[in-house]
Amino acid sequence: MLAAPAATATDRHRPELQERLDDPVERWLPGVVPDGDRITVRHRLNHTSGLYDFRLTIPLPSQEFLHNRWRTWTAAEQIQRAVAHPPTSEPPGNAFGYSNTNYVVLGEIVEEVTGRSYGEEVKRRIIRPLQRQQTTVPGRSPWIRGPHPHGYAPLEDDGGFRLVDFTEMNPTLFGAGGELISTAKDLQRFFAALLDGRLLSDHLLEEMKTPGDPSRSYGLGLAWRDLSWGVRVYGNDGDALAYQSWSFATEDAVDAFLEEAFCG
């Protein structure tokens, strides 16, 4: 995931070439975002980049969205919608502000570094090795495979509200910021693999646990909560229109489960 010297144009797509957390975005995506020479990969991952969230430019749910629920969105479109707005904080690294645009930009960096889309890298590095059979990167496919609950959202209509089934839509709306489809079981297995060192080296996992804004319990895409009885859990939440998920685990998830089962 990280390290390596500066790349030349001819070796950017070498499989062994890996990204550094403190590389400026400008190195990989010249001219794509304002102040790209000051905003780093780390700022994107810990949401201190100050980049406006493109999601806020799209009214959800609304009649406008309902009429465009099948359209395909590109990363370039989403980034342009974001950079049309001023930064939410200055300078980069100064304050936490969650932005889906950060993940869209990171997805573009993944493609530039590896020569493959972020979706292919997620499959290659996480889904297949961990055998997460119920986790998919749908791309443009609007359907959820297998049994699943339908998602409904209220839509204003003639001065009132009606519930609309938003289960089927083109997931490129969320892109690298949240189009992944999974299950509670697969999410728990993912966090177990992450926290026990099967996905990252120890020093990279420690980076994920380091907050960019000391006032927040949020590192590099990883959040944590200290429970009332003194246990810390790590994970994150995720949402799409009409759906919400939460998944957290302890670092010693198996031991904690056995202790609860046998000791109450």
Side-chain angles (χ1 to χ4, degrees):
M1 180 178 176
L2 311 173
T8 65
T10 58
D11 67 5
R12 284 187 177 180
H13 299 308
R14 287 163 45 197
E16 67 271 27
L17 184 62
Q18 298 183 333
E19 180 64 31
R20 293 182 297 194
L21 283 172
D22 293 312
D23 276 349
V25 171
E26 189 72 10
R27 176 187 175 192
W28 298 103
L29 303 175
V32 171
V33 297
D35 290 329
D37 58 333
R38 295 196 301 154
I39 301 173
T40 66
V41 172
R42 186 188 301 274
H43 293 150
R44 298 290 182 192
L45 286 166
N46 63 26
H47 294 286
T48 62
S49 69
L51 191 62
Y52 193 83
D53 190 348
F54 79 87
R55 160 65 182 80
L56 301 178
T57 72
I58 303 170
L60 297 178
S62 66
Q63 287 289 353
E64 177 186 348
F65 174 73
L66 187 61
H67 295 152
N68 290 281
R69 67 191 298 178
W70 309 116
R71 68 161 290 186
T72 295
W73 295 82
T74 67
E77 285 181 296
Q78 292 164 335
I79 294 170
Q80 284 301 310
R81 294 179 78 104
V83 301
H85 295 262
T88 57
S89 64
E90 281 282 2
N94 184 53
F96 179 90
Y98 189 91
S99 174
N100 289 285
T101 313
N102 286 322
Y103 289 122
V104 174
V105 173
L106 288 166
E108 294 296 276
I109 291 177
V110 166
E111 184 165 351
E112 180 64 20
V113 172
T114 67
R116 290 178 289 270
S117 70
Y118 90 92
E120 283 302 314
E121 287 298 286
V122 168
K123 294 173 188 175
R124 189 172 73 89
R125 294 170 181 257
I126 299 175
I127 295 176
R128 291 170 189 153
L130 295 182
Q131 298 181 335
R132 300 286 75 86
Q133 298 178 355
Q134 301 303 315
T135 301
T136 61
V137 184
R140 294 191 299 270
S141 173
W143 298 288
I144 301 175
R145 299 186 316 188
H148 58 273
H150 280 234
Y152 297 86
L155 186 70
E156 190 169 4
D157 187 19
D158 294 330
F161 289 89
R162 62 187 175 95
L163 284 179
V164 176
D165 188 336
F166 279 102
T167 306
E168 296 177 1
M169 69 176 71
N170 189 322
T172 59
L173 167 67
F174 306 103
E179 69 167 309
L180 201 70
I181 297 173
S182 191
T183 63
K185 184 178 181 180
D186 271 10
L187 284 173
Q188 288 301 110
R189 286 179 172 177
F190 164 75
F191 281 114
L194 176 66
L195 295 171
D196 71 15
R198 279 178 282 161
L199 290 179
L200 293 177
S201 61
D202 289 345
H203 81 277
L204 291 182
L205 185 55
E206 284 305 310
E207 292 277 16
M208 290 190 72
K209 297 176 182 177
T210 304
D213 181 339
S215 68
R216 304 297 297 250
S217 300
Y218 193 99
L220 306 186
L222 186 66
W224 53 90
R225 302 285 187 275
D226 291 321
L227 304 182
S228 59
W229 55 91
V231 174
R232 174 167 289 188
V233 292
Y234 293 90
N236 217 329
D237 66 308
D239 65 87
L241 185 60
Y243 290 94
Q244 178 82 39
S245 66
W246 290 74
S247 183
F248 285 82
T250 60
E251 288 187 279
D252 55 348
V254 174
D255 291 341
F257 173 78
L258 292 176
E259 183 175 343
E260 175 67 22
F262 289 103
C263 302

